[in-house]
Amino acid sequence: MDIAKLRTAHPEHWMRAAAIRTLTLDAVAAANSGHSGMPMGMADVATVLFEKHLKFDASAPLWHDRDRFILSAGHGSMLVYSLLYLTGYAEMPLEEVKNFRQMNAKTAGHPENFLLDGVETTTGPLGQGIANAVGFAIAEETLRARFGKKLQDHYTYCIAGDGCLMEGISHEAIALAGRQKLSKLIVFWDNNNITIDGTVDLSDRTDQPQRFKAAGWHVQEIDGHDPEAIDAAITAAKNTGKPSMIACKTHIALGHAQQDTSKGHGALTDADQMKAAKEAYGWTAAPFEVPAEIKAQWEAIGSRGREERAAWEARLDEQSDRRKAEFARTFAGEAPNKLSSVIRALKKQISESAPKVATRKSSEMVLEVVNPVLPETIGGSADLTGSNNTLTADMGTFDETNRKGRYIYYGIREHGMAAAMNGMALHGGVRPYGGTFFCFTDYARPAMRLSALMQVPVTYVMTHDSIGLGEDGPTHQPVEHLAICRATPNTLTIRPCDTVETAEAWEIALTSQKTPTVLALTRQGLPTLRKDHKVKNLVAQGGYVLADSDGKRQAILIATGSEVEIAMKARDILQEAGIGTRVVSMPCMELFAEQDLAYRRKVLPAGPVRVGVEAGARAGGWDKLLLGERGREQKQAFVGLDRFGASAPIDELYEKFGITAENVVAQVKALLA
C-alpha cells in the first residue's frame, strides 16, 4: 500500500483519518492492551461516513431521529472513542481517551452502551452488533410507520469484520434483514483478510458478497481507503430498496510495520514502530495531541447536524399535545396508565372463573388485553408461534408490505431473534418480546446475556418449561435452564403457577426499565390457584404465602410454576395427617431476594422443615431458600431433577422422577422423623 499516494490524493481527508489512527496507537500503547489494527484500517470509511453522511449532533447524543452507528467489531473500540472525542461529545474528553481500558473509565475495552451515550450498543462478542443493527433497523421502520417520516426517518450503519461474518449469528441476521427488506440498514464489511490466527483462508473460503446477495442484499465492493469510492458507495446504498452491504477492501494496521499481519490485529505498542507509522502518516504532533486545525474540522463535523436536529424539534413541537405526549412516553419506556387496569381486570376475571390452562395459554390471554393498550409492543417467535402463543389478533404481520404490523416471523433463528430484540430495545420506542421453547435458550443465550449486561427490558417468552412437555423427550426438556437464567445477573426469571401469576409477571416485564425478563411457561394445563382476587401484584414480591398451615406449622413447601399445584396437593395430605403445612409460591427468586429481611423471614420463618419442589435442577438459588439465611442449617430436601428427562407421557414422567405430591409428603415425614 502506497501511503504517500494516499496522503497526496486527499490530504485533508487523510489528516482527519490519521487523527483516528494516531489516537488509537497512543491509547493502546498507554494501556499496553487493546486492538489497534481495525481502527487504523477502517479510519477512512469512518471519516467519510461521519463527515458526509451520518445524521447526528454531538451536543445531543440521544436525539431520537439520529442515525445509529454500530461497531459490531467491538474489539476496535478506539475507532468509536476517537470519533466521539474528535467530534466533540461532552462525555468523551481527552482524559477518557488517555484512560482507555482503565478502572472506572468510560472507554472500556469493548464499547458499553450504559457507559456512554454515544455508544449505541455493547459489542465485542462477534456478530452481536450486526444482529443488533437488524433490530435497530426494524425499530426505525415500525416507528416511522407509527409516527411518520417527520419524526422517524434515519439510517442504521454498522461496521462488521471477518470475525462477525464467520459467527453463525451473522447468517441469521443477514437472512432476516434480507427477508424484511430493511433498506435503511447499511453494513460496511471490513474486508482485511486477517484473523487472530492468521489469514482468513486458514478457516474460511466463503464468498461474502455472494452470501449477502443470496440473502437479498444490495452489495458493492470498493477500495476501503478511497474516500471518493466510499462516499459514492454510501450514496448508492441509500438509493436501493434493500439492505446494503459495502465490502471495503482494507489493510489492517495501515501504515504500520505489522500491516496485513495477524499481529496487526492486536496491541501495537513498539515505540519505534509507532514512530515510523506516524512518520508515514505525516503526523508530527505529540502523543494524544490533535492539531487545532484538524480538531476544529472534526468538531465542525460534530455540529453539522445541529440545524437538522433543530428542524426536527420544531416538527415535533408542531404535533398535537396528545401525539407529543405519546411520543415522549413511548421513548421513555413508560407503560400507559391503562396497563395496570387491564391487568387487574383480567386477574379478577380469572380468579372468579378459575380456568385450567397452560401458562403459555395464560400468557396469550394476557397479551390479548395488553397489546391493544401498548402499541409499542412488537412480538414474535422463532417458528413456534402456535406453540408459544405469542400472536394476538390485533397485531398484524410486520413485513415489507406492512410496517405497521407488530408481529415478526423470525424463522428458526433463536440467536438472531434475541439479538434483534436487543437492538429494538436499545433503539427505543418499542417493547420487544419473542418466544421459543425454554430448552432453546441455549441457542439464544449469548444475546440473552447481553440483554442483562446492556440493561435492556427485553421479554423472553420461553414455553415448554420442563419434563411436562412429555413425549418430545430429553432433547427438548429443560433441566438446567432455570438455574442458568437465575444465575445471570440483572435478569428476572419468572415461573408462574397459574394465569393470575402470569398476568402479574407480564406487568412486571412490561414496566421494567433496565432488566430483561424470562417467562418460563408450561405446555400442560394448570388449575387456577389464586382464587382470592388481590389488587396487589404478589409476584412482584418474588415469593409469598399461597396457603398457610392449619394448626402448628411444621413444614414449608416452596414451589414454582407447575409444581405449585403438586405442593398444594401435598399440603392437603399432610394437613389430613395432622402436619401443619405452609405453601410458598416462589415465581421469581430474584425479586424475593430484593425484599427486606423482615419480609423474607416472615414468608420463610426458621423452624419448620423445608421442601423445595421444581421440575429442574437444584441450583441457581434453591440452597439459600432451603438452608435459610440465619446462619444455621434448616432441615430440608429438594424434589426435582438431577438428570436429563425422558420421552413419555407427562404423568408417567412425573411419576418416574418422583415429582409427585406423595413423594413430597414422604420427604416431609422423613425430615420430621
Side-chain angles (χ1 to χ4, degrees), residues 539-591:
V539 170
Q541 299 173 120
Y544 61 94
V545 178
L546 178 63
D548 213 346
S549 59
D550 294 329
K552 181 182 178 182
R553 187 186 307 119
Q554 299 180 64
I556 300 176
L557 308 181
I558 312 168
T560 78
S562 49
E563 286 67 68
V564 177
E565 176 191 10
I566 292 172
M568 291 292 282
K569 290 178 179 178
R571 175 186 177 275
D572 291 343
I573 298 171
L574 289 164
Q575 288 289 166
E576 283 290 324
I579 300 172
T581 303
R582 167 182 285 186
V583 173
V584 171
S585 179
M586 188 63 64
C588 185
M589 294 183 184
E590 298 87 5
L591 288 173

Side-chain angles (χ1 to χ4, degrees), residues 145 395-406:
M395 301 188 81
T397 300
F398 175 89
D399 61 19
E400 75 280 10
T401 68
N402 182 21
R403 295 309 195 194
K404 290 185 177 181
R406 293 161 54 203

Side-chain angles (χ1 to χ4, degrees), residues 68-131:
R68 269 56 170 190
F69 172 64
I70 294 168
L71 186 65
S72 187
H75 55 275
S77 56
M78 270 308 303
L79 178 69
V80 71
Y81 299 150
S82 297
L83 289 163
L84 295 180
Y85 163 66
L86 289 167
T87 54
Y89 280 74
E91 286 190 300
M92 187 55 69
L94 186 59
E95 284 307 306
E96 286 289 347
V97 179
K98 291 180 177 180
N99 288 330
F100 178 55
R101 286 183 162 234
Q102 304 308 301
M103 182 66 74
N104 298 323
K106 294 182 178 182
T107 46
H110 293 84
E112 297 178 7
N113 65 293
F114 48 89
L115 294 181
L116 277 169
D117 287 339
V119 172
E120 301 288 359
T121 181
T122 295
T123 55
L126 294 177
Q128 292 292 328
I130 188 172

Side-chain angles (χ1 to χ4, degrees), residues 325-482:
E326 181 66 1
F327 187 86
R329 179 196 68 77
T330 300
F331 272 90
E334 297 172 352
N337 294 331
K338 286 184 179 179
L339 177 63
S340 59
S341 61
V342 298
I343 292 288
R344 284 198 304 271
L346 178 63
K347 285 167 56 178
K348 189 173 188 297
Q349 173 195 333
I350 295 300
S351 295
E352 292 172 352
S353 60
K356 180 176 182 178
V357 294
T359 50
R360 62 170 175 159
K361 178 63 176 177
S362 302
S363 175
E364 181 184 41
M365 294 162 67
V366 179
L367 289 172
E368 284 172 348
V369 300
V370 161
N371 279 331
V373 301
L374 265 80
E376 61 265 36
T377 56
I378 295 184
S381 170
D383 198 51
L384 289 167
T385 295
S387 293
N388 299 145
N389 297 95
T390 41
L391 174 62
T392 58
D394 66 304
M395 301 188 81
T397 300
F398 175 89
D399 61 19
E400 75 280 10
T401 68
N402 182 21
R403 295 309 195 194
K404 290 185 177 181
R406 293 161 54 203
Y407 193 82
I408 299 174
Y409 290 95
Y410 286 102
I412 306 154
R413 304 184 182 106
E414 295 88 354
H415 198 179
M417 174 181 72
M421 290 195 295
N422 282 341
M424 290 181 228
L426 287 163
H427 179 282
V430 296
R431 278 263 177 189
Y433 68 84
T436 186
F437 286 179
F438 192 34
C439 191
F440 300 148
T441 54
D442 289 341
Y443 284 139
R445 172 70 189 153
M448 294 175 71
R449 180 176 185 268
L450 283 172
S451 299
L453 178 62
M454 295 191 292
Q455 304 172 19
V456 291
V458 172
T459 302
Y460 294 97
V461 183
M462 299 302 186
T463 68
H464 298 60
D465 69 344
S466 72
I467 57 171
L469 68 86
E471 294 86 347
D472 278 345
T475 58
H476 286 54
Q477 293 168 357
V479 174
E480 71 278 24
H481 300 74
L482 283 164

Side-chain angles (χ1 to χ4, degrees), residues 343-352 500 504 530-536 538:
I343 292 288
R344 284 198 304 271
L346 178 63
K347 285 167 56 178
K348 189 173 188 297
Q349 173 195 333
I350 295 300
S351 295
E352 292 172 352
V500 175
E504 293 180 343
R530 288 270 298 278
K531 296 180 182 179
D532 182 15
H533 174 62
K534 302 284 187 185
V535 172
K536 185 177 182 179
L538 300 186

